[in-house]
Amino acid sequence: MNHYLRIGGAILGAGVAILSLLGPVAAQSPRRTAVGQPGVFIDSGQFFAPANSQALALGDLDGDGDLDAFIANIGPDRVWLNDGVGRFTATAQLLGYDYSTSVALGDLDGDGDLDAVVGNAYNQPNRIWLNDGTGYFTDPGWSLGAASTHGVAIGPLTGSAAGDKPDLFVANEGCNEVWWQWGTFGLTNSGQCLGYLYSQAVALGDLDGDGDLDAFIANRGHEKVWLNDGSGLFSDSGQWLGNSIDQSMAVALGDLDGDGDLDAYVANGLGLPYPDRVYLNDGSGAFTDSGLALAATDSRGVALADVDGDGDLDAFVANGGANWVWLNDGNSVFTDSGQRLGRWDSRGVAMGDLDGDGDPDAFVVNGEQPNKVWLNSGGSAGNEPLFVYSYLPILRKP
């Protein structure tokens, strides 16, 4: 006879075992709401247990077609699975016990699902976690050095020589590194030392229009652009963007002025009153400061998405206090939407359609406060949950 347990509308079968409930579980069915104003965010009502979270990445980790969250913490990293309407439940796995600062998702082993690379600080080794396709991760034991990492990015950097498997760009307190994939499994340090500027974040994109991925680095000080020759070898573009006192914590790339190339939004913070900056690309990888100085809000993270449905990229900025939403006029001129979302020590944000209503929502990770999901009220479906607090550790049967 099969035994099943129903919690919050989800049916758990005999193939899983419940270890313990680490917190209260309360759930109500999602309600159908009228379409709200695009770009206006509402609290989903979820409070994810504080875990000193530092960064996150969104992707379909369990193969069910919606966006899940891999969260990097000071302590064990966690995977939170989405039920399709923006309600998240943690799996049982405690992944590592490191000072994790960053995470990126990509298919590292070529099996068709998303794996994770986690960057760790304080000279703790970075880690690779391989996904079995259901959101269950294992450590393959690949060595990635120990360089006090603050940012990681995954992408094909070496062209056809590496097949379809992506490589890594790692932003460190010291030399930034590029790790290539050669052979069946494993990563090899390319030996490049790309700057020495206390780097905090990296974003990859084709910045100079030659068809390969380049790197924009946010540093505590001047920003740097590193151009790829197509073989995974990077050269300094010679640009020193911003000034030496900016404390840049995050960067996101996107076409902000509608000219078809990738521009950069840089979030500045670290508890200091430095405004965010927008750098515009001329298409060749040469950037100029737009002249915007976007309110000194102690910014820690930024994600770009068309939140108000007008066809251009807006910015959701995670701050040391309330989070802000900046609306783009299509020409890279950003105005404050007036929203003040949360009041906690936010460290990072990622955006995507979390509740299946067709517009971008925001998942924000906080330091010693609960992580939060903010739902965009302008979608066509309006599947916002009334209230959900789930913390259900699930252990697979051997």
Side-chain angles (χ1 to χ4, degrees):
M1 176 179 178
N2 290 328
H3 299 279
Y4 298 90
L5 175 66
R6 179 184 291 272
I7 295 181
I11 299 177
L12 305 178
V16 296
I18 308 299
L19 284 179
S20 62
L21 296 180
L22 300 185
V25 176
Q28 298 182 31
S29 299
R31 61 180 171 185
R32 211 73 172 170
T33 63
V35 175
Q37 181 179 350
V40 174
F41 289 83
I42 61 174
D43 190 338
S44 72
Q46 299 171 84
F47 290 80
F48 304 106
N52 241 326
S53 300
Q54 303 295 302
L56 81 158
L58 297 176
D60 184 5
L61 302 179
D62 56 0
D64 65 354
D66 55 44
L67 294 176
D68 310 301
F70 193 113
I71 299 181
N73 300 310
I74 299 175
D77 303 325
R78 301 300 302 266
V79 173
W80 292 80
L81 299 180
N82 188 355
D83 68 355
V85 294
R87 299 180 300 186
F88 289 81
T89 303
T91 70
Q93 289 194 279
L94 303 177
L95 302 172
Y97 287 85
D98 304 307
Y99 196 111
S100 299
T101 60
S102 50
V103 58
L105 299 176
D107 185 6
L108 292 171
D109 55 3
D111 64 353
D113 55 43
L114 292 176
D115 310 301
V117 56
V118 175
N120 296 314
Y122 295 106
N123 296 312
Q124 295 175 331
N126 299 327
R127 295 184 184 271
I128 296 290
W129 297 98
L130 297 182
N131 188 358
D132 70 355
T134 70
Y136 186 84
F137 288 81
T138 55
D139 184 350
W142 298 359
S143 175
L144 286 177
S148 286
T149 296
H150 291 277
V152 292
I154 297 176
L157 302 178
T158 53
S160 60
D164 295 327
K165 294 180 183 177
D167 311 293
L168 307 181
F169 197 111
V170 181
N172 300 316
E173 291 182 15
C175 288
N176 298 320
E177 300 170 337
V178 174
W179 290 76
W180 294 335
Q181 280 216 66
W182 299 106
T184 305
F185 289 107
L187 289 143
T188 300
N189 191 331
S190 70
Q192 301 173 76
C193 178
L194 304 177
Y196 206 94
L197 291 172
Y198 211 109
S199 299
Q200 295 294 296
V202 55
L204 298 177
D206 183 5
L207 302 180
D208 55 1
D210 64 354
D212 55 43
L213 294 179
D214 311 298
F216 193 110
I217 308 294
N219 299 303
R220 290 191 186 177
H222 296 282
E223 274 55 79
K224 295 293 291 180
V225 174
W226 294 87
L227 299 178
N228 188 354
D229 69 357
S231 70
L233 294 173
F234 288 78
S235 60
D236 188 345
S237 69
Q239 301 172 76
W240 295 80
L241 302 172
N243 59 66
S244 60
I245 63 172
D246 282 347
Q247 299 293 306
S248 301
M249 304 300 292
V251 58
L253 297 176
D255 183 6
L256 302 179
D257 55 2
D259 65 353
D261 55 42
L262 294 177
D263 310 301
Y265 188 114
V266 175
N268 295 315
L270 200 62
L272 299 171
Y274 300 122
D276 298 343
R277 299 185 185 276
V278 172
Y279 297 99
L280 300 179
N281 188 355
D282 68 357
S284 71
F287 288 80
T288 56
D289 191 332
S290 70
L292 289 176
L294 300 174
T297 53
D298 187 13
S299 303
R300 308 297 182 88
V302 58
L304 300 176
D306 182 9
V307 304
D308 55 0
D310 65 353
D312 54 46
L313 293 176
D314 310 298
F316 191 113
V317 180
N319 297 313
N323 303 311
W324 288 37
V325 177
W326 293 90
L327 299 179
N328 187 357
D329 69 352
N331 295 306
S332 73
V333 177
F334 288 82
T335 57
D336 178 9
S337 71
Q339 299 176 75
R340 302 294 180 263
L341 304 173
R343 60 184 185 278
W344 296 309
D345 182 18
S346 298
R347 303 300 179 91
V349 57
M351 299 196 76
D353 184 6
L354 302 180
D355 56 1
D357 67 353
D359 56 28
D361 310 299
F363 198 125
V364 176
V365 292
N366 300 306
E368 296 183 0
Q369 299 294 331
N371 299 328
K372 296 289 293 180
V373 170
W374 297 92
L375 299 178
N376 192 336
S377 65
S380 58
N383 289 318
E384 287 83 20
L386 285 169
F387 173 78
V388 180
Y389 177 49
S390 299
Y391 201 82
L392 182 63
I394 300 173
L395 178 68
R396 346 172 117 224
K397 259 187 165 181

